[in-house]
């Protein structure tokens, strides 16, 4: 009986607890919804001074969801997020504002 309990406990532990230990950032952000809220707030700050805010927010959101980061400030600082910096449009120009 003790062996069966141990196996059952280990199985339940593996199913319920381990995923949260392996992916703490996803758990902290609340999954996809949390990332959406994070990106929206960071992109509002990033695009605050943009001439075409709708376009800036659209592309910033796309880049943020793929890279999971947005550089600080309204311009520059792309060294803080290399994925964001290196993403290119189909025309070979920087995609992220």
């Amino acid at each position: 009986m003790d062996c069966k309990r141990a196996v059952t406990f280990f199985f339940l532990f593996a199913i319920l607890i381990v995923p949260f230990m392996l992916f703490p950032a996803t758990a902290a952000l609340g999954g996809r919804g949390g990332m959406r809220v994070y990106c929206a707030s960071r992109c509002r700050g990033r695009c605050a001074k943009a001439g075409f805010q709708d376009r800036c927010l659209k592309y910033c959101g796309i880049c943020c969801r793929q890279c999971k980061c947005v550089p600080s400030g309204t311009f520059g600082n792309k060294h803080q997020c290399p994925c964001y910096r290196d993403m290119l449009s189909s025309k070979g120009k920087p995609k992220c504002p």
Side-chain angles (χ1 to χ4, degrees), residues 33-65:
M35 183 54 73
R36 201 171 294 144
V37 170
Y38 168 80
C39 289
S41 68
R42 293 298 303 254
C43 288
R44 272 194 304 274
R46 182 80 177 167
C47 297
K49 296 182 180 179
F52 297 96
Q53 280 206 349
D54 291 342
R55 188 182 309 168
C56 181
L57 288 169
K58 175 184 174 182
Y59 289 109
C60 180
I62 291 168
C63 295
C64 177
R65 284 188 296 278

Side-chain angles (χ1 to χ4, degrees), residues 9 13 15 32 38 53 69 74 76 92 96:
F9 175 77
F13 179 79
I15 289 176
R32 288 186 185 169
Y38 168 80
Q53 280 206 349
C69 64
T74 56
C96 307

